[in-house]
Amino acid sequence: MAAAVHTSVWLDGKTTRSRKAEQPAGGLDLEKITEATVRLLDSEGLAKFSMRRLAAELGVTAMSVYWYVDTKDDLLELALDRVMGELDLPGESADGWRDQIRHLAVGYRRLLVDHPWTSPLAGEFLNVGPHANAFSASVLNVVTRTGLPPHGQAGGIAAVFQFVYGFGTVEGHFRDRCARAGVTQDAYFQHAMSAVSRHADTRATIERSKVIMAARGGETVEEMRDRDFEFALDLLFAGIEAMRGDQR
Amino acid sequence: MAAAVHTSVWLDGKTTRSRKAEQPAGGLDLEKITEATVRLLDSEGLAKFSMRRLAAELGVTAMSVYWYVDTKDDLLELALDRVMGELDLPGESADGWRDQIRHLAVGYRRLLVDHPWTSPLAGEFLNVGPHANAFSASVLNVVTRTGLPPHGQAGGIAAVFQFVYGFGTVEGHFRDRCARAGVTQDAYFQHAMSAVSRHADTRATIERSKVIMAARGGETVEEMRDRDFEFALDLLFAGIEAMRGDQR
DNA sequence: ACCTGAACACCGTTCAAGT
DNA sequence: ACCTGAACACCGTTCAAGT
């Protein structure tokens, strides 16, 4: 019973379907389909993506895709793992753990921002494809070098990478929203700030946050976010150091 | 031009539509609609929620709802802010900032887990409704008490609450997925672990993570997550302390 | 082995019409 | 002021049929 539960495309053997020879004919194949899926998701977003839209892009009827893929969800899982392949993972270098974590965090943040559709999918799926696996392996590798006690390593990973996930998600959505509204992030930000300032019930909150924002500084929205991200990472590194001697 | 950009239901004056007297007739009103929306989202999830399904629930035709609400998105924004009202915010008590942050973090985590549909919405919308605003105000209030330098307060907020957002999102999705598959979280977890272990390319990663998981301990999935969450919060608190003297 | 067409059971939203 | 019905332009997916 529990054995019949569907977990992931990657765990059902469908992805290793023997493709015999990569037939170089003009026909479809899983590679072409996944590539087109990513292209469409990047350009039009998750909400507008559909099997029919994809089929049109591939110059094929809607149902052809279903010969290669069982469901739309399976295809999205394939697309997700494909873009995770863009991540540049740190090798077994002599770099300190700080640089390695920073490298992973910066790359993951960029992934979420460049492909905002990954964020709901990464939260939804199990994320056990080959590229997600390589990322996890890299994360596991670096956490053992932090000096965190073993019982705190899972928590440490969560603190760092769930933070990056949350940060990149919100950032990516905002960028996407501005692009689709046809305005710059700075224009949208100004517009939203003044709209919120006009409301009696939010004005007090916004005034307080303006103080904090002024202290943080930064000319553009991008710059402000970069400063917050950097400070948060430094805070996390300091936290890791402080928890090294934690016994319980 | 930029002034025509739609930002949020809360910033367009639609929510303050003069309801004259709260007519106690059996008819619809925004309150009933939002309440039914939350109930449906909780019981059937975001993917299955539709205006037609909602209308049926309200015993009304599909289009009636559109007299009260402009779009489905606006309604989702209303539902999001409504559940944020469940958050128990710390008062101006004598508690230390640690307890106050913990209180907010635990509440926000529970919100995301109890209503998994909030997570994509909180990432997507601006989150400027009255309850979201009260939450923000509470967060701003406590961050000034941490001793963090002003330039690091925005980053500190990000570190803590984006972490909670990421953590609660993944946790909520997993719980939801198990419930819909009709298995316990522990059964699903065991199933996924053994499926992953069977794959050659993920086996090495899984073996390493088993070591970390064993050190962390915990009998159930819930207990394991509680331990990680607690450790991560302690790590963040230690990080905040360490960054108090940060100059730049 | 691969692809198509028609069909089913849905969507969000517009618009003209009813009361 | 509030609600309905029909319609438009879509969805994901099944299933029988073609080559």
Side-chain angles (χ1 to χ4, degrees):
Chain A
M1 194 197 256
V5 172
H6 175 68
T7 47
S8 163
V9 228
W10 300 107
L11 302 178
D12 287 349
K14 296 299 182 78
T15 46
T16 48
R17 163 150 51 196
S18 60
R19 302 233 69 74
K20 41 186 69 172
E22 293 294 330
Q23 49 222 42
L28 287 188
D29 67 52
L30 204 52
E31 177 65 20
K32 269 183 201 156
I33 291 173
T34 313
E35 192 265 328
T37 300
V38 169
R39 201 173 53 238
L40 277 180
L41 287 167
D42 282 343
S43 62
E44 300 178 8
L46 184 57
K48 290 193 133 172
F49 177 78
S50 78
M51 297 300 272
R52 289 167 138 106
R53 179 75 188 76
L54 170 65
E57 186 78 5
L58 291 164
V60 101
T61 199
M63 299 320 300
S64 311
V65 181
Y66 280 93
W67 196 85
Y68 298 89
V69 122
D70 278 348
T71 64
K72 186 188 180 188
D73 271 4
D74 280 4
L75 180 54
L76 292 176
E77 227 184 319
L78 294 174
L80 174 60
D81 199 72
R82 172 174 246 263
V83 292
M84 292 207 63
E86 290 176 10
L87 283 169
D88 175 52
L89 305 176
E92 298 279 344
S93 73
D95 284 349
W97 59 268
R98 257 170 281 251
D99 285 338
Q100 293 205 358
I101 289 185
R102 192 184 304 275
H103 192 88
L104 286 167
V106 166
Y108 189 34
R109 176 189 171 199
R110 179 158 44 230
L111 181 79
L112 288 160
V113 172
D114 288 347
H115 311 286
W117 50 271
T118 53
S119 138
L121 302 184
E124 190 178 334
F125 299 126
L126 243 34
N127 242 326
V128 289
H131 291 122
N133 178 57
F135 180 68
S136 301
S138 196
V139 168
L140 284 172
N141 188 55
V142 68
V143 78
T144 60
R145 298 180 54 192
T146 56
L148 277 177
H151 76 265
Q153 294 186 0
I157 291 171
V160 174
F161 290 97
Q162 304 289 33
F163 154 69
V164 177
Y165 173 76
F167 195 95
T169 294
V170 172
E171 183 179 9
H173 269 300
F174 187 76
R175 237 182 65 146
D176 208 34
R177 172 178 270 248
C178 295
R180 278 171 220 297
V183 294
T184 66
Q185 292 189 74
D186 298 308
Y188 194 100
F189 180 74
Q190 292 304 333
H191 174 66
M193 283 293 278
S194 74
V196 173
S197 296
R198 253 177 274 118
H199 272 252
D201 39 347
T202 42
R203 187 159 32 226
T205 311
I206 226 67
E207 290 309 320
R208 293 189 78 156
S209 71
K210 272 180 185 163
V211 175
I212 287 181
M213 286 178 14
R216 183 245 344 252
E219 295 286 310
T220 64
V221 171
E222 299 266 19
E223 209 179 333
M224 297 183 326
R225 273 194 305 241
D226 285 347
R227 292 188 187 196
D228 288 345
F229 190 78
E230 280 306 314
F231 189 91
L233 271 191
D234 285 342
L235 189 157
L236 284 158
F237 292 157
I240 289 171
E241 276 180 77
M243 296 300 281
R244 273 176 176 155
D246 184 72
Q247 316 278 354
R248 51 184 74 186
Chain B
M1 193 197 253
V5 172
H6 175 67
T7 47
S8 163
V9 227
W10 301 107
L11 303 177
D12 286 349
K14 296 298 182 78
T15 46
T16 48
R17 163 153 48 199
S18 61
R19 302 233 69 74
K20 40 186 68 171
E22 294 294 331
Q23 51 223 42
L28 286 188
D29 68 51
L30 204 52
E31 177 64 20
K32 269 181 201 156
I33 291 174
T34 313
E35 192 265 327
T37 301
V38 169
R39 201 174 53 238
L40 278 180
L41 287 167
D42 282 343
S43 61
E44 300 178 8
L46 185 56
K48 292 193 130 172
F49 177 79
S50 77
M51 297 300 271
R52 290 166 137 105
R53 180 75 187 79
L54 170 65
E57 186 77 5
L58 291 164
V60 101
T61 199
M63 298 323 299
S64 312
V65 182
Y66 280 93
W67 196 86
Y68 299 89
V69 123
D70 279 349
T71 64
K72 187 188 180 186
D73 270 4
D74 280 4
L75 180 54
L76 292 175
E77 227 184 320
L78 293 173
L80 174 60
D81 199 73
R82 172 174 247 262
V83 292
M84 293 207 61
E86 290 176 10
L87 283 169
D88 176 52
L89 304 177
E92 298 278 344
S93 74
D95 285 349
W97 58 269
R98 258 170 280 252
D99 285 339
Q100 292 205 359
I101 289 184
R102 192 185 304 276
H103 192 86
L104 286 167
V106 166
Y108 189 34
R109 175 189 172 200
R110 180 159 43 230
L111 181 79
L112 288 160
V113 171
D114 287 348
H115 311 286
W117 49 272
T118 52
S119 136
L121 302 183
E124 189 177 335
F125 299 125
L126 242 34
N127 242 327
V128 289
H131 291 121
N133 178 56
F135 180 69
S136 301
S138 196
V139 167
L140 284 172
N141 188 54
V142 67
V143 79
T144 60
R145 297 180 55 193
T146 56
L148 276 177
H151 76 265
Q153 294 184 1
I157 291 172
V160 175
F161 290 96
Q162 304 288 33
F163 154 70
V164 177
Y165 173 76
F167 195 95
T169 294
V170 172
E171 183 179 9
H173 270 300
F174 187 77
R175 237 182 65 146
D176 209 35
R177 172 178 272 247
C178 295
R180 280 172 218 297
V183 293
T184 66
Q185 293 189 75
D186 297 308
Y188 194 99
F189 181 75
Q190 291 305 331
H191 174 65
M193 282 294 277
S194 73
V196 173
S197 296
R198 252 176 275 119
H199 274 251
D201 39 347
T202 43
R203 188 159 31 227
T205 311
I206 226 66
E207 290 308 321
R208 293 188 80 158
S209 71
K210 273 180 183 162
V211 175
I212 287 179
M213 286 179 13
R216 184 246 343 253
E219 295 285 311
T220 64
V221 171
E222 298 266 19
E223 209 178 333
M224 297 181 330
R225 274 194 304 241
D226 285 347
R227 291 189 187 195
D228 288 344
F229 191 77
E230 279 306 313
F231 188 91
L233 271 191
D234 286 340
L235 189 156
L236 284 158
F237 292 157
I240 288 171
E241 276 179 78
M243 296 301 281
R244 273 177 176 155
D246 184 72
Q247 317 277 354
R248 53 183 71 186

